[in-house]
Amino acid sequence: MAYRVTRRVAAATLCSTVLAAALAATPVRAQSGEPIKIGFSMALTGPLAPNGKQALLGAKIWEEEINAKGGLLGRKVELVNYDDQSKPDNIPGIYTKLLDVDKVDIVMGPYATNLNAPAMPIVMQKGKVFIGFFALDINAEFHYPKYFSMLPSGPRPREAFTEGFFQVAAAQKPKPQTLALASEDAEFARNACDGARNNAKTYGFTVTYDKTFPPGTTDFSPVVRGLQAAGTDLVVICSYPLSSVGLVQSASELGLKPKMMGGAMVGLQATVFKDRLKSKLNGIVNYETWVPSPKLMAPAKAFFDKYQERAKAAGVDPLGYYLGGWGYADFQLLGEAVEGAKSIDDDKLADYLRTHEFHTIMGDIRFGKDGEWTKSEFMQVQYHGLADAANLETWRGMSYQTVLTPDRLKTGDVVYPYEKAQ
């Protein structure tokens, strides 16, 4: 994986000087005194924008709250961010500008694996602390000691996205036997699909179909027809938002009906995509990182009340359940580290992040090997009972989704096979 990342970054860097110069012309916000400048990019346009926009609003709420309390280390905080347009090729220029032109004190990761990966070599060259945001196992080859992951995937991050899926499947009687894998040919999906292959071995399933499809695919009927022809008991899909939506739509139209389907489909967690798919989601078993169950909502309610009020005017995801809370917690983690280390020095911050537990609205965090969490907090949920009249009030609660794993967060049992939930 390191080779792929390095090649991609090398190609993208050919245009980074031009992009950095263009971004340098962007007006810099007025400063008051000497704020602590925290730089990052976020997907505000392109296919990742529905998630990126809610993460940015969460970050902005943190910025306002922390400054109202006097900032960090007695200094105001200033977030310096740019729209990466959901394009990995934009990342080298943006992060070069943040570090060399804006001279930010701290850099944070953009949203998503495919965009964090090309930022890593630039940040490493500067010896900066880097908190990746929803980036899947991007430090596995680098082993960079100042990297920390804001993704609750635990010490086996690749496996975490689908492990609950396989746990549920293995508990069915009679146990299903065969598995088809369909994955997007991009960094995140490759990593998640590697984890699915490992899980298949662990839980005793035979992979009889394993194919990729290119990013930017718009017609998913060939993918779905291939899965139908394979005739497997289980279908695990590893995909980014637009592909996830297209695959669910095509599976519904063509009548794909394995015994279980889902796994690692990014995008289905966002309100805009749920609202587009509605009843087509019925039966899908897919990963989640947070749901509005009473147990998980309790420490986060004040934030979501504020977020949802602000979202109305901001034109972002009205609930913010997928990345709004995590966008806030990402900076909440950083703030705790800065105050705990009593410094913004990268070495001191890294030491503090490695050796302490952190408490956020999304849960408690302790980092282990390669900056991953010491325990997984991933869930698998199943969508069910959805009609095409589903609306915002439907998505606000838990009536349409059941948490299947882990046991401590479980809210019900799977509807099996998939066809019964249709």
Side-chain angles (χ1 to χ4, degrees):
M1 184 177 72
Y3 180 71
R4 287 199 300 269
V5 171
T6 303
R7 287 288 301 274
R8 181 173 62 243
V9 172
T13 305
L14 291 175
C15 65
S16 66
T17 303
V18 175
L19 180 57
L23 288 169
T26 303
V28 177
R29 290 172 289 175
Q31 298 182 13
S32 175
E34 294 186 7
I36 296 174
K37 296 170 71 174
I38 305 171
F40 60 100
S41 78
M42 191 58 67
L44 305 180
T45 55
L48 298 178
N51 292 337
K53 286 180 178 179
Q54 53 180 300
L56 181 61
L57 179 53
K60 291 289 188 181
I61 290 172
W62 174 84
E63 178 188 30
E64 292 170 6
E65 289 183 354
I66 202 71
N67 282 335
K69 296 175 183 177
L72 296 174
L73 305 179
R75 298 165 61 184
K76 292 289 185 181
V77 168
E78 179 186 354
L79 301 187
V80 181
N81 63 277
Y82 299 105
D83 178 13
D84 56 42
Q85 303 175 325
S86 306
K87 297 178 180 178
D89 285 353
N90 286 344
I91 293 297
I94 290 174
Y95 276 79
T96 297
K97 180 186 186 300
L98 286 168
L99 290 164
D100 293 346
V101 180
D102 296 319
K103 297 190 182 300
V104 298
D105 299 293
I106 300 169
V107 285
M108 300 286 279
Y111 162 57
T113 308
N114 296 358
L115 286 91
N116 277 268
M120 278 286 282
I122 295 166
V123 174
M124 289 168 62
Q125 288 171 7
K126 300 289 186 177
K128 303 293 288 182
V129 163
F130 191 54
I131 299 176
F133 186 55
F134 273 48
L136 176 55
D137 205 23
I138 63 169
N139 199 28
E141 300 294 335
F142 294 114
H143 305 295
Y144 181 51
K146 298 178 190 177
Y147 173 81
F148 302 91
S149 176
M150 180 50 92
L151 179 69
S153 50
R156 300 172 67 246
R158 298 189 185 203
E159 289 78 9
F161 275 83
T162 58
E163 185 164 22
F165 182 100
F166 286 101
Q167 288 173 344
V168 172
Q172 302 312 305
K173 296 180 180 180
K175 178 184 172 183
Q177 298 297 315
T178 56
L179 167 69
L181 296 172
S183 61
E184 195 163 348
D185 190 12
E187 197 81 31
F188 161 76
R190 285 193 293 264
N191 290 351
C193 203
D194 283 345
R197 293 185 190 99
N198 292 340
N199 285 329
K201 292 177 183 177
T202 299
Y203 290 93
F205 296 100
T206 302
V207 178
T208 60
Y209 181 94
D210 190 343
K211 301 288 186 182
T212 62
F213 56 88
T217 296
T218 55
D219 179 8
F220 290 94
S221 56
V223 179
V224 172
R225 292 190 190 283
L227 292 168
Q228 283 178 315
T232 57
D233 296 326
L234 309 175
V235 170
V236 166
I237 298 171
C238 305
S239 52
Y240 258 18
L242 295 185
S243 298
S244 299
V245 172
L247 281 161
V248 171
Q249 288 175 324
S250 188
S252 177
E253 291 164 3
L254 296 175
L256 177 63
K257 293 181 179 178
K259 292 178 180 177
M260 278 179 61
M261 180 170 74
M265 304 178 78
V266 179
L268 304 188
Q269 306 81 4
T271 306
V272 64
F273 296 130
K274 288 177 179 176
D275 214 40
R276 187 183 303 179
L277 294 168
K278 297 189 177 182
S279 64
K280 294 181 177 67
L281 287 169
N282 284 330
I284 297 288
V285 175
N286 200 41
Y287 85 92
E288 256 292 5
T289 59
W290 192 89
V291 294
S293 66
K295 182 174 183 177
L296 295 180
M297 179 59 86
K301 186 178 185 304
F303 166 79
F304 283 109
D305 286 347
K306 183 177 291 188
Y307 172 97
Q308 289 167 15
E309 183 60 34
R310 291 274 298 275
K312 298 173 184 176
V316 302
D317 187 296
L319 299 177
Y321 290 159
Y322 185 50
L323 278 194
W326 286 109
Y328 182 92
D330 194 31
F331 287 85
Q332 192 179 19
L333 164 71
L334 175 65
E336 283 190 27
V338 169
E339 291 289 0
K342 298 180 173 57
S343 176
I344 57 172
D345 175 83
D346 289 283
D347 290 333
K348 291 179 180 178
L349 276 178
D351 286 342
Y352 195 87
L353 284 160
R354 275 192 294 269
T355 55
H356 290 76
E357 185 172 70
F358 299 87
H359 309 286
T360 77
I361 61 167
M362 307 304 275
D364 297 338
I365 304 166
R366 184 175 284 277
F367 297 106
K369 182 182 177 183
D370 289 333
E372 300 293 344
W373 290 30
T374 55
K375 62 179 182 178
S376 173
E377 297 293 338
F378 263 56
M379 293 171 272
Q380 285 282 323
V381 305
Q382 184 180 43
Y383 305 121
H384 53 77
L386 285 164
D388 287 334
N391 56 28
L392 182 60
E393 292 311 306
T394 307
W395 313 128
R396 192 181 299 279
M398 291 291 292
S399 63
Y400 70 95
Q401 61 182 336
T402 297
V403 178
L404 305 175
T405 66
D407 286 342
R408 66 182 183 80
L409 297 175
K410 184 176 179 179
T411 62
D413 296 321
V414 68
V415 179
Y416 180 90
Y418 170 73
E419 187 172 3
K420 284 188 177 181
Q422 300 300 293

